[in-house]
Amino acid sequence: MTSKPFGAAIYGCDGAHLTSDERAFFAKANPFGFILFDRNLEDHDQIRALTSDLRDTVGWAAPIFIDQEGGRVQRLRAPLATDWLPPLDHVTLLGDHAVDGMRLRYQIISHELTELGIDANCAPMLDIARPETHPFLRNRCYGSHLDQVVKIGRAVVEGHLSGGVFPVVKHIPGHGLAQMDSHLDLPRIDAPETTLTAIDFAAFAPFGDVAMGMTAHLVYTSLGETQPATTSASMIRRIREDLGFAGLLMTDDISMQALSGTVPERGAASMQAGCDVILHCNGDLEERIALMDRIGTMPPASQTRAEATLARRPTPEDVDIAALKAKLAELEQGRGA
């Protein structure tokens, strides 16, 4: 682990190989981690080299994140990794075997990630699906009932840890009521507090023990909020105190247009609200530098949470992936025990 304070960000990079300017920037910024997208992924050897190079820039084993939910939100596809149905479609196919099947699915995903040097995945997604949930989100959910989502979410956490990958629970405290795409607009939620507390927020309460979580870019107007949860001190306090989330709390991507202001202003507002680390997925090097200059390093409480998170880095179990895939196929065909 680094002896320097962690930079309060997780950064993306521009392409399949680092530029000299990127190397110099990452060495100076010492970010908590990195995140990969399609633009960074060509073949197995290139990805392994990139993940190694990213860690070399900071001089320690920084977490490397990806969005590998399956379905539409899947950065690695065949032949680099297994192609998957959208989560909700897979849950439907698995039927009564959904919990065991989804555990296997993310165990397989995690082993594929660790082979490439990737050790953090932005899943499980614990948002409760509704008929009116925006299409950008709906089939990424695990179900429309609290008990189902919690059970499958716990299985997804277990699958990740078994495969040696950090899970990241999202989108705290609940995105399922959104009828807008927060990549483009700011959803406003006017459901009564009783509904939010009993359903949407309740999905996250059992996951306070997970090492990392991600905020939602939503305004809960029914709670008297005027700012998105990501930049609202009262919502971050609710996540910590009412939902009991004790892990490292990162923002959803601050380049999403649900947030107002410049990227550095968004990052500063999120830090001031109580987020531990800023997720900056898209944008050029100049924008990353401006963000670094504005947010600096993690405050002491966040540094402590970051160190505690890294101390919990999971180790992949020695398993037969072919056997896991065969077992999953049995469950999909309704033949599992």
Side-chain angles (χ1 to χ4, degrees), residues 19 50 83 97 100 102 107 113 132 135-137 140 150 160 184-185 198 222 283:
T19 66
L50 178 59
D83 279 326
H97 303 300
D100 290 339
M102 293 295 277
Q107 191 175 6
L113 295 180
E132 65 272 22
F136 103 91
L137 188 85
R140 298 164 58 194
V150 168
H160 278 98
L184 305 174
D185 299 290
S222 58

Side-chain angles (χ1 to χ4, degrees), residues 79-102:
L80 295 175
T82 304
D83 279 326
W84 299 96
L85 289 171
L88 190 58
D89 294 350
H90 204 181
V91 167
T92 301
L93 175 65
L94 288 161
D96 293 340
H97 303 300
V99 172
D100 290 339
M102 293 295 277

Side-chain angles (χ1 to χ4, degrees), residues 2 13 28 44 60 81 91 144 200 221 245 272 297 318 323:
T2 180
C13 56
K28 179 179 180 181
H44 288 84
W60 60 283
V91 167
S144 56
D200 297 85
T221 57
F245 185 75
Q272 187 173 4
T297 57
D318 187 11

Side-chain angles (χ1 to χ4, degrees), residues 207-246:
F207 294 85
D209 61 312
V210 177
M212 289 188 273
M214 178 187 292
T215 62
H217 295 336
L218 308 180
V219 177
Y220 296 90
T221 57
S222 58
L223 303 180
E225 294 290 327
T226 59
Q227 296 296 318
T230 300
T231 57
S232 166
S234 57
M235 288 305 300
I236 301 300
R237 187 164 52 249
R238 185 184 289 263
I239 289 168
R240 292 295 191 193
E241 297 176 2
D242 296 353
L243 302 186
F245 185 75

